[in-house]
Amino acid sequence: MIGMFASFSGLSFLLAWLIGSPPANTEPQCRCLYGDPCWPDEDTFAHLTQQLSVPLIHPRPLAHPCYTDPDCPACVAVHARWDEGTWRAEHSGATQHPNFETFINPSGNVDACYANSSVGDSCGQGSVPIIGVEARTVADVQAAVTFAAEHNLKLVIKNTGHDFLGRSSGRGSFMLWTHHMKDIAVHEKFVPLGSPPEGESYEFALTIGAGVQWHEAYTAADNSGRMMIGGISPGGSVGAAGGWLLGGGHSALSPSYGLGVDNVIQISLVTSMGDHLTTNAYSHADLFWALRGGGGGTFGVVTSVTYRTYPIVPVFLASMSVTSNRSEPVKAAFTELVRITTSLTDSGWGGYVQFSPVGDTCGFSFGTLVPNVSWEEANRTILPYFDYVKSLATTSNLAQGTLKLEGGFTTQWPSFWSLYKHLMPNTGQVGRNLELGSWLLPQKALDGDYEHVANVLMENQGLSYELIAGGAVSKVDPLSTGLNPAWRKAVVHAVFGITWPDGTSAEDIQRLRDSMGSRLRSVRALAPESGAYLNEASMFEPDSRHAFFGEHYDQLRAVKRKYDPIDLFVVAEGVGADEWDEELRCRV
């Protein structure tokens, strides 16, 4: 038998580790990739197929049909629906941003399958795994995990492909696709497994399968007269039971209700030993702690998650956009926003400020919401800022530049979900080459020299200034979850990125990365002791342990050793990843 268990069974390995005497490291030091002599043959894969509920999948890059017949319906759909997140999620070989389907060879050649077939002369497999399991049941997940472990394969776990670290793809790897695990159950009264008689129970908790996306979870909750704290993306295409949650999970509602990790009650998963475990405050509590912020694809394969829900309440939306032909009035408007940010999040306001230069103008759009307050309370906290910006527009002159203001008012919506459906169409944001850099800014940074903060942030084109921390997030004990403690001091998530057209050379992509690295250093210097949001951050953080996990890293690594003693689950920037080479193939 080829693989990790050829000379040492997984069970005996685990027992030896747990009693404190790890066995001699006799497994291969490198994962087996497609094309290697160790890669399983057709008969071996055929045997795996017999254990599954559906046949094996053979993922291909999303644009592949356009290289066989540009006029076929599949290629027409590629061009018509390229920026539709829910549609991309339905394809095993697609990522939400196509640069993660490509692969840059050591020689500098880009192996890709571009939507515009005239850019490249062929459709390469890139970083898309060559074969995999489409999981429909827990047994499918167990079979896939056991197979990957037995044959020492590099395993990629994928749901929707919303991932900015490239964890949903991997050249020559074996894929486990959880997207079609769509079970949803509403519990009028939920009692966590192992809870004592006096333990807490939860009304109308929602249990969702690994493949459920937020638009499906929100709809199920709304149909039950409840609301949830979840992700925001066009069409609600982000997975609700995967990387979003395991990395922390922020929302515009977080200043009022906390992060995703603060609202999860129970998580079930399959470990590298093939065991299906249920984790919560009473069962495998150490693993439950680590899963809440320790990162996706690190400790096991999540099969289901149970969330608390809340009564539906009205939501107020405050929105405004400002533009100018000069930067000074825009900077003044943004500086004032930085100054009042902490007071806004402490009052429950959460939302997003997007900078988007257009032609010779600069400016930003401001959209933030607050749930379950009165008209008077909503206006008391937000109208002074709108009045300030309106005064800038009134007093600006030609020397300062003309400030144009649109919006600057609040509206009431019956629920968060009704507002979400109105604001977030099913297209946009995805389907373009994009890499991110980000940093969490704590209260002491914003409440200090806020003019300096505003100046540094505005130097970063495409900035998103996100009010998704502070408030309720800051009131949670930093030790209660595996989430980076920097989150509990943060008020703002500052994120920006680089983009490039298809066909860009590896050298030009690297120049863009270098430029973003320089910009990120200036933002990081605003609060060097802080950290970054694991799900939306640079793939090249110089100190990933500190940036993503802070002082929790050592404890997270110990939990991983306990539940994944063979290091089957290794992902970019994840716990234990720095013990592997750059390709996450060989131990170092």
Side-chain angles (χ1 to χ4, degrees):
M1 178 172 58
I2 299 173
M4 290 186 176
F5 301 146
S7 60
F8 207 95
S9 73
L11 179 60
S12 58
F13 190 108
L14 178 59
L15 291 175
W17 193 282
L18 292 180
I19 64 175
S21 300
N25 190 357
T26 58
E27 337 79 62
Q29 294 298 296
C30 294
R31 299 291 189 218
C32 183
L33 302 182
Y34 174 71
D36 292 341
C38 56
W39 187 257
D41 58 24
E42 291 184 7
D43 289 342
T44 305
F45 278 116
H47 179 69
L48 171 61
T49 302
Q50 295 172 5
Q51 306 171 48
L52 303 172
S53 60
V54 295
L56 290 168
I57 55 174
H58 300 273
R60 299 304 302 268
L62 189 58
H64 177 258
C66 298
Y67 288 77
T68 56
D69 181 1
D71 298 320
C72 70
C75 182
V76 172
V78 164
H79 294 295
R81 308 182 71 178
W82 189 253
D83 65 346
E84 185 179 320
T86 52
W87 181 76
R88 297 185 74 91
E90 291 292 336
H91 296 78
S92 62
T95 57
Q96 295 294 322
H97 296 279
N99 49 299
F100 295 107
E101 297 174 30
T102 68
F103 180 77
I104 300 178
N105 294 296
S107 63
N109 294 324
V110 181
D111 184 23
C113 186
Y114 299 124
N116 181 357
S117 57
S118 65
V119 174
D121 55 6
S122 63
C123 175
Q125 188 73 9
S127 290
V128 178
I130 197 71
I131 195 170
V133 168
E134 178 186 326
R136 300 289 180 120
T137 66
V138 170
D140 288 341
V141 175
Q142 291 173 304
V145 167
T146 300
F147 184 84
E150 288 179 346
H151 297 281
N152 189 35
L153 305 182
K154 181 177 179 181
L155 178 64
V156 164
I157 306 165
K158 178 179 181 291
N159 179 6
T160 65
H162 274 283
D163 192 289
F164 291 103
L165 297 179
R167 297 171 294 186
S168 296
S169 58
R171 186 174 180 84
S173 61
F174 176 68
M175 175 183 286
L176 174 51
W177 193 32
T178 64
H179 181 62
H180 289 106
M181 300 181 71
K182 295 286 191 179
D183 290 343
I184 299 178
V186 179
H187 314 274
E188 290 190 15
K189 181 179 180 181
F190 183 81
V191 178
L193 181 69
S195 173
E198 67 277 9
E200 186 176 6
S201 62
Y202 300 84
E203 292 185 354
F204 295 100
L206 194 71
T207 297
I208 58 176
V212 173
Q213 294 164 271
W214 275 116
H215 71 92
E216 297 161 328
Y218 287 142
T219 298
D222 189 73
N223 289 341
S224 300
R226 307 289 286 186
M227 62 175 280
M228 297 179 68
I229 311 309
I232 294 178
S233 65
S237 56
V238 169
W244 178 87
L245 169 67
L246 302 178
H250 69 65
S251 165
L253 293 171
S254 290
S256 291
Y257 295 96
L259 299 166
V261 294
D262 304 325
N263 286 280
V264 63
I265 303 168
Q266 186 164 283
I267 302 173
S268 295
L269 78 164
V270 172
T271 71
S272 59
M273 297 293 100
D275 298 319
H276 188 228
L277 304 181
T278 297
T279 74
N280 54 45
Y282 313 101
S283 176
H284 303 289
D286 56 345
L287 182 54
F288 185 56
W289 175 89
L291 289 168
R292 289 174 294 158
T298 299
F299 302 95
V301 182
V302 169
T303 56
S304 67
V305 171
T306 302
Y307 284 101
R308 60 166 50 92
T309 65
Y310 298 89
I312 292 176
V313 294
V315 172
F316 283 95
L317 171 70
S319 58
M320 177 185 66
S321 67
V322 295
T323 56
S324 176
N325 58 349
R326 295 285 299 274
S327 63
E328 286 81 2
V330 174
K331 186 173 295 184
F334 182 55
T335 298
E336 176 64 9
L337 180 59
V338 171
R339 187 186 72 83
I340 67 170
T341 291
T342 299
S343 64
L344 289 178
T345 57
D346 282 348
S347 299
W349 287 92
Y352 309 89
V353 178
Q354 304 283 343
F355 282 80
S356 52
V358 179
D360 295 330
T361 65
C362 63
F364 62 85
S365 60
F366 171 83
T368 186
L369 57 86
V370 63
N372 201 27
V373 298
S374 66
W375 268 104
E376 291 75 17
E377 179 66 14
N379 287 332
R380 183 187 67 80
T381 51
I382 200 67
L383 286 186
Y385 176 64
F386 287 165
D387 290 342
Y388 173 80
V389 178
K390 290 175 182 177
S391 71
L392 289 177
T394 302
T395 59
S396 62
N397 54 46
L398 292 180
Q400 297 172 324
T402 301
L403 186 69
K404 180 180 179 181
L405 169 67
E406 295 182 0
F409 51 81
T410 58
T411 56
Q412 187 181 46
W413 294 79
S415 68
F416 168 73
W417 182 224
S418 64
L419 173 60
Y420 188 113
K421 290 186 291 184
H422 174 76
L423 291 179
M424 302 298 289
N426 198 31
T427 59
Q429 295 187 9
V430 304
R432 55 180 178 154
N433 302 308
L434 175 63
E435 289 183 8
L436 298 181
S438 73
W439 204 245
L440 296 167
L441 298 179
Q443 178 178 344
K444 72 175 185 178
L446 299 183
D447 293 352
D449 188 352
Y450 45 83
E451 293 184 6
H452 175 63
V453 172
N455 288 336
V456 169
L457 293 179
M458 283 190 64
E459 292 173 357
N460 291 280
Q461 295 181 357
L463 171 72
S464 181
Y465 181 83
E466 302 180 348
L467 286 66
I468 43 75
V473 176
S474 63
K475 296 176 183 178
V476 177
D477 181 357
L479 302 180
S480 64
T481 70
L483 183 71
N484 188 343
W487 267 103
R488 305 307 178 183
K489 299 178 182 179
V491 177
V492 162
H493 176 225
V495 57
F496 46 91
I498 54 173
T499 64
W500 61 89
D502 286 348
T504 300
S505 69
E507 293 80 5
D508 287 340
I509 293 173
Q510 187 57 52
R511 278 191 282 270
L512 288 170
R513 288 172 173 170
D514 292 342
S515 173
M516 185 172 70
S518 176
R519 292 154 55 195
L520 183 54
R521 283 191 292 275
S522 67
V523 176
R524 195 186 290 117
L526 294 172
E529 76 288 352
S530 188
Y533 177 39
L534 180 61
N535 290 336
E536 298 171 0
S538 169
M539 298 188 294
F540 310 103
E541 273 294 335
D543 185 357
S544 59
R545 289 188 179 191
H546 165 74
F548 298 131
F549 309 106
E551 52 264 44
H552 283 168
Y553 183 83
D554 289 342
Q555 188 174 349
L556 290 167
R557 189 66 184 97
V559 174
K560 179 171 173 60
R561 287 192 178 99
K562 178 179 176 181
Y563 291 96
D564 181 21
I566 60 175
D567 275 348
L568 179 64
F569 306 112
V570 182
V571 294
E573 308 281 26
V575 173
D578 56 355
E579 300 166 25
W580 293 73
D581 65 10
E582 185 176 345
E583 296 182 15
L584 302 180
R585 181 186 183 187
C586 298
R587 299 178 189 272
V588 295

